[in-house]
Structure formats: structure tokens, C-alpha cells
Amino acid sequence: EAQVTQNPRYLITVTGKKLTVTCSQNMNHEYMSWYRQDPGLGLRQIYYSMNVEVTDKGDVPEGYKVSRKEKRNFPLILESPSPNQTSLYFCASSLAPVRPSGANVLTFGAGSRLTVL
Amino acid sequence: DAKTTQPTSMDCAEGRAANLPCNHSTISGNEYVYWYRQIHSQGPQYIIHGLKNNETNEMASLIITEDRKSSTLILPHATLRDTAVYYCIVRVARGYQKVTFGTGTKLQVIP
């Protein structure tokens, strides 16, 4: 089944304890991205990646790191989590078609709910 | 900066058509309009997309104005399961860019 898998789905941690949220897709997608969702603020993009070793900042990158060493994986790293990073996180991926067809539909993971105390 | 604006919330009677508007007045010629929906706190799911022609699939219809500055998603016969937050985004075909979702429209389908 074509899917984007995020782990962990739920995590409670403490301020300053480094953590990584993993994201893996099995669709050979070039484009991958991370979003956070907070009440009243909708989905905001944290980072995105166009391909292996190519990443760029989204709208809210502060406090986060990412890496893209393999095409299928795009982990989100919180080096020193703080309470304002308590949120629901989504990973998403899509193709980047050679011909402009518009069919680069984003496929989302199920989400990871992170609480930083 | 949000590229799209949508009403915060809408109600629709079950069985009636739900018409959800989206304004994208700064859309570029090579940007498509995509619609997604999010049920509860699940990952958003793709509904439909279009460039300038009206589109229809098994889930919905998309009407894009001639000047492409706005669009309307139509759910022809809304059911309770269509209660969700609906997001309208614009995106270039190759997808190598930031993607801004905004806050979407909360659609409540009423029995």
C-alpha cells in the first residue's frame, strides 16, 4: 500500500531532550515536507526537500532540523525541544513530474502528536 | 503570506450541495488549484485539482473562474461524513516550492 509512515504517533518529552520524528514513504516521491498544525493557525510548513541532500526552509523552520540522506526518508529533528513546539506534526510527499501535469498530489502521514513539558 | 483565503466556517444541510469558495487572486499562470480535506486530526486527503477548466471526479467538482482568481469546490450531496476542514492551495506543477495551506474552511454538515 502506498503510504507515508510517521513515528512516533504520540510522544511526551521534556524541555531540552533531543528527539527525532521519522518519516518514510514508499512511493519513490522526490518532494517531501514537514508541517505543524496548531489550533487556529492551520497547517504551516516547517521544511521541505526537493531530493536527496536538497532541503529548504518553509514558513516556520526555527528550532527544527531535517536531513534527506535517502530518497524515502525525511526525519524531523528537534535538537532542544521547547514547550512552544508542542504540536501536531505531519509529513507529506509528492512526485515532481517531469511534464507539467499538475498531478503532484501530496500524500500525508497520519500525524505525530508531540507534547513538550 | 497566504496565497489563498477561505471563509472560516460554513454549514450545509445533509443531502444538499456544499459550495466552498476560495480566493486566490495572486495565482500565477503555471499554478494549479488543489483542494484537500482533513477529518478530525487525521492527515489531509486530496480531493481534486485543476488549472483553468472545471473538473469533476467521484468526490467533488471544481469550478474555476475565467480569470482564475477564485474557485469553488462543490460536494454535490453532502453527508455527515463530509464534515471536515477543507483546504484550498495553489501549487506549480513541478512542486519545487513552499506550500502554504492556511487555516481552511470548517464545513459542518447538519442532519
Side-chain angles (χ1 to χ4, degrees):
Chain A
E1 180 187 354
Q3 60 185 356
V4 176
T5 303
Q6 298 179 224
N7 280 296
R9 294 288 315 281
Y10 302 91
L11 179 63
I12 300 174
T13 189
V14 295
T15 299
K17 186 177 181 181
K18 180 179 179 180
L19 68 92
T20 298
V21 186
T22 63
C23 174
S24 180
Q25 50 91 6
N26 61 0
M27 296 166 282
N28 202 33
H29 284 171
E30 292 88 356
Y31 184 94
M32 296 187 74
S33 62
W34 277 102
Y35 296 85
R36 62 177 290 172
Q37 185 170 37
D38 305 289
L41 296 178
L43 283 159
R44 295 181 292 168
Q45 192 174 46
I46 304 171
Y47 271 95
Y48 63 99
S49 169
M50 298 178 286
N51 215 323
V52 175
E53 304 293 0
V54 182
T55 63
D56 212 340
K57 296 178 181 179
D59 293 317
V60 288
E62 296 77 18
Y64 304 94
K65 286 177 58 177
V66 292
S67 68
R68 188 93 183 270
K69 294 183 170 56
E70 301 171 289
K71 192 174 184 178
R72 63 181 292 130
N73 296 321
F74 190 46
L76 179 69
I77 303 158
L78 286 72
E79 294 271 2
S80 182
S82 63
N84 65 12
Q85 291 178 297
T86 292
S87 187
L88 178 59
Y89 292 87
F90 290 100
C91 179
S93 70
S94 72
L95 286 170
V98 175
R99 294 189 183 85
S101 67
N104 54 351
V105 171
L106 284 165
T107 300
F108 282 81
S112 296
R113 188 170 293 279
L114 171 64
T115 301
V116 183
L117 301 175
Chain B
D1 294 336
K3 288 188 169 184
T4 62
T5 54
Q6 301 175 253
T8 302
S9 63
M10 294 181 66
D11 291 338
C12 178
E14 189 177 17
R16 304 295 295 269
N19 297 288
L20 292 92
C22 179
N23 181 289
H24 32 80
S25 58
T26 60
I27 192 170
S28 301
N30 63 346
E31 287 183 315
Y32 287 72
V33 180
Y34 289 79
W35 282 83
Y36 291 79
R37 75 178 181 185
Q38 183 179 27
I39 297 173
H40 298 301
S41 295
Q42 298 174 19
Q45 294 177 307
Y46 165 78
I47 301 173
I48 197 168
H49 75 279
L51 182 62
K52 54 185 175 182
N53 298 319
N54 298 339
E55 302 289 344
T56 295
N57 63 20
E58 64 278 4
M59 290 182 67
S61 295
L62 174 60
I63 308 297
I64 302 175
T65 57
E66 191 169 344
D67 63 8
R68 302 210 323 124
K69 292 184 177 182
S70 66
S71 61
T72 300
L73 176 75
I74 301 172
L75 307 178
H77 305 287
T79 70
L80 298 178
R81 288 179 295 179
D82 292 322
T83 292
V85 177
Y86 288 78
Y87 296 95
C88 162
I89 68 168
V90 294
R91 191 180 187 204
V92 296
R94 288 184 63 83
Y96 288 159
Q97 61 173 173
K98 271 197 301 188
V99 179
T100 301
F101 268 76
T103 55
T105 296
K106 168 68 176 176
L107 175 69
Q108 183 71 48
V109 179
I110 302 168

